[in-house]
Each structure stands twice: as structure tokens, then as C-alpha cells.
Amino acid sequence: MKNDMSVHVYISNNKIQVLLGSYVKNRLQVQSVCEEPLEEGCILNGIIMNAFSLQNTITQMWQKYNLPSKGVHLVVNGSSVTVKPMKIPQTTPKNIPGLIRTEFRDMENIQNLIVDYSVTNLKNPDGTCSILAVLSTKEFIMSYVNLFKEAKIDLEVIDLVQNCLIKLMKRFKSLQGKTYAVFILDKNMLMQCLFSNDNFVMTRRSRILAEPEDPGFEREIGQNINSIIQFNKSEQTGSDITEFYLSGFPDAAVPLFPRFEENFHVQVRTFPEYTPAEITLPENMRPAEYCILLGSLIRYSN
């Protein structure tokens, strides 16, 4: 592996994805990607339910694709992680965890949670700093650390799905100044993120009961689209949502996109427009399927 290449891993509810690539001079360059399915019930909303099966899949995958075992970047997701965009006064890094704990003081056992953050905007027009505050349990984080340790793989970084998405979306010139939403379907869980005028506004999850081939699937996705449109209006972000990016949706659901466009008067695509100066991909790679790992490639959020 070249010195500037790094390996990035994302474990979703039904598969493991790995991306090898680099981020140099604001350009994402992907060398290769691979993925393997997981045994049913192995992971449930980020919580490891069957560590033995998961570890076997990881070990076999690393051998099959001859993947590096050093300096691995892992991206986690799930209900055990709480995230919230915050505006805080300009201050030193050591003071920020205290500000986050104050914001979440109503949460049970707040003192026992791991607090972390990433800076999403170093200085806002009003002089504040925007961060993505993150809270999780030590048990949740250590379950992944121990999993990879047993597989003899060294984790260098543990990142978060929302943070990776923020880092990626801020890089696209085609999205600057726009208000849009990103939906990521992970089996039957739908993560929704709202962005407005280059700022991350909110994230939430919904359970999708219908299968993509069922008539109810269109209705459920449509309800979530309408819900986030109404939320954006209530927040008075200053502009209407003009685009939705739907990632992780099976090919069978793509014919629904024009109907969503007609019903909600928005553009619906799988991935934003980009230039070769922003992203270089291997032939036949669909970027929408690896948007989380593309964001993981970016080392800093600013």
C-alpha cells in the first residue's frame, strides 16, 4: 500500500465495506473497494450481537483481499451513539467536553458516557464555533476495539457515520449554499440528515417496515421526505429543500425517484454532482454505495 493510502471500514446491519484510498490536496482518490455480507442478526443498529461470526467474517475478508492490518479507520453507527450539532463560544479544546455535558445534562448517567466532538465550522458569522457533539458508552466503543484486536487488526481511528457524511458533503462545490437532505438506507433503518447553507442541521433515524418491492415502501419513504421538508420549514433555515440524495436504496427502488420528484417538487438522486478534481474512483464503482467511507477518507472536517 502506498504511503498516502489508508484503509477504511464500515460495518452496517447486513455487510462490511472496506475502502482503500487517499485524500491529498482536497482530492479523494479511491484505489479499491470490497464488501462481504454478514450473517443475519450479526449486527443490530450498531450493537454487536454475534461477535464470533462477525470476527470470522472480518478475518476471512482481510485474508481474501489481502487488506492492511495497521492504521485502520473504522466508522460506527447505531442507536448507542447520540449526536447533536451545537454552537458554542470560542474556547480552548479542553473546555468543550464540559460544554457538551452541560447541554446533555438531562440524559441519564451522563457522567458515565464517553464525550467527543468534531469541529464542523471553526468560526460562524456570529463568532461562535459549530461542533458535532457525540456521546456513547464505553462498552459500545470497546466492543469494536476488542473485536478488531481479536482479529489482529490495529484500529487507528473510530469515526462516526454522521461526521463522515458532513466531511464529504462540505467538499462538493455543487452543494454550496444549498439546502438538501441525505437519506441512507441500511437494511430496514433509514438515517436522515439535513443540511442548509453549508451547515449540518439535524439527524434522525426511522424504521422502514415495508420491503422495497412492497407498495408500502414508497409511502413510508414519502412520509419521511415530507416530514423532513416540514421540519426544515419549521426551523426557518432560510431556504427550501431542493435536493434529496438517497443512498443504499436497491435498484428496485430507483423507479420511485421520479415519483418523489413529482410529488414533492425536489430533485432526487443517488449522489451529488462532482468533478474529477474532487473525486477519482475505480471503474464501475458507485459512489453512493460508499459515501460513508468516502467521508472517512477526509481527515479533517474543515
Side-chain angles (χ1 to χ4, degrees), residues 14-34:
N14 59 356
K15 62 187 175 184
I16 301 178
Q17 295 181 313
V18 178
L19 179 150
L20 271 69
S22 62
Y23 179 65
V24 179
K25 296 181 179 179
N26 289 325
R27 181 184 178 189
L28 293 162
Q29 186 166 0
V30 179
Q31 182 185 51
S32 63
V33 293
C34 57

Side-chain angles (χ1 to χ4, degrees), residues 129-154:
C129 172
S130 291
I131 65 169
L132 182 69
V134 182
L135 288 88
S136 184
T137 63
K138 183 177 180 180
E139 290 76 14
F140 176 75
I141 299 300
M142 290 306 299
S143 68
Y144 283 98
V145 171
N146 293 331
L147 176 75
F148 279 84
K149 185 178 180 180
E150 289 294 321
K152 295 180 172 56
I153 298 170
D154 293 334

Side-chain angles (χ1 to χ4, degrees), residues 44-56:
L44 181 61
N45 295 331
I47 298 174
I48 299 173
M49 307 300 293
N50 189 338
F52 178 77
S53 175
L54 182 55
Q55 184 185 320
N56 280 343

Side-chain angles (χ1 to χ4, degrees), residues 12-82:
S12 68
N13 282 328
N14 59 356
K15 62 187 175 184
I16 301 178
Q17 295 181 313
V18 178
L19 179 150
L20 271 69
S22 62
Y23 179 65
V24 179
K25 296 181 179 179
N26 289 325
R27 181 184 178 189
L28 293 162
Q29 186 166 0
V30 179
Q31 182 185 51
S32 63
V33 293
C34 57
E35 65 178 47
E36 291 291 332
L38 288 176
E39 183 181 335
E40 183 73 24
C42 214
I43 289 277
L44 181 61
N45 295 331
I47 298 174
I48 299 173
M49 307 300 293
N50 189 338
F52 178 77
S53 175
L54 182 55
Q55 184 185 320
N56 280 343
T57 302
I58 291 172
T59 301
Q60 293 168 9
M61 190 175 185
W62 253 248
Q63 293 173 347
K64 177 180 179 180
Y65 297 103
N66 192 28
L67 296 169
S69 59
K70 303 286 186 182
V72 174
H73 295 226
L74 173 67
V75 183
V76 298
N77 187 23
S79 54
S80 295
V81 182
T82 300

Side-chain angles (χ1 to χ4, degrees), residues 143-204:
S143 68
Y144 283 98
V145 171
N146 293 331
L147 176 75
F148 279 84
K149 185 178 180 180
E150 289 294 321
K152 295 180 172 56
I153 298 170
D154 293 334
L155 290 180
E156 180 180 330
V157 174
I158 297 181
D159 207 341
L160 189 66
V161 161
Q162 288 92 336
N163 189 49
C164 291
L165 197 61
I166 292 168
K167 290 189 292 183
L168 179 65
M169 293 297 155
K170 288 182 69 173
R171 260 50 191 189
F172 293 123
K173 292 182 180 178
S174 64
L175 296 180
Q176 289 181 1
K178 292 185 177 181
T179 296
Y180 57 93
V182 181
F183 283 10
I184 298 179
L185 184 65
D186 180 7
K187 201 173 180 180
N188 61 352
M189 291 302 298
L190 182 69
M191 187 181 79
Q192 306 143 66
C193 296
L194 174 63
F195 295 80
S196 181
N197 299 308
D198 308 321
N199 292 311
F200 175 67
V201 178
M202 60 83 77
T203 181
R204 66 185 177 196

Side-chain angles (χ1 to χ4, degrees), residues 185 187-190 206-211 217 220-221 224:
L185 184 65
K187 201 173 180 180
N188 61 352
M189 291 302 298
L190 182 69
S206 300
R207 184 177 176 86
I208 303 300
L209 300 178
E211 296 296 325
F217 183 80
E220 288 190 69
I221 300 301
N224 280 280

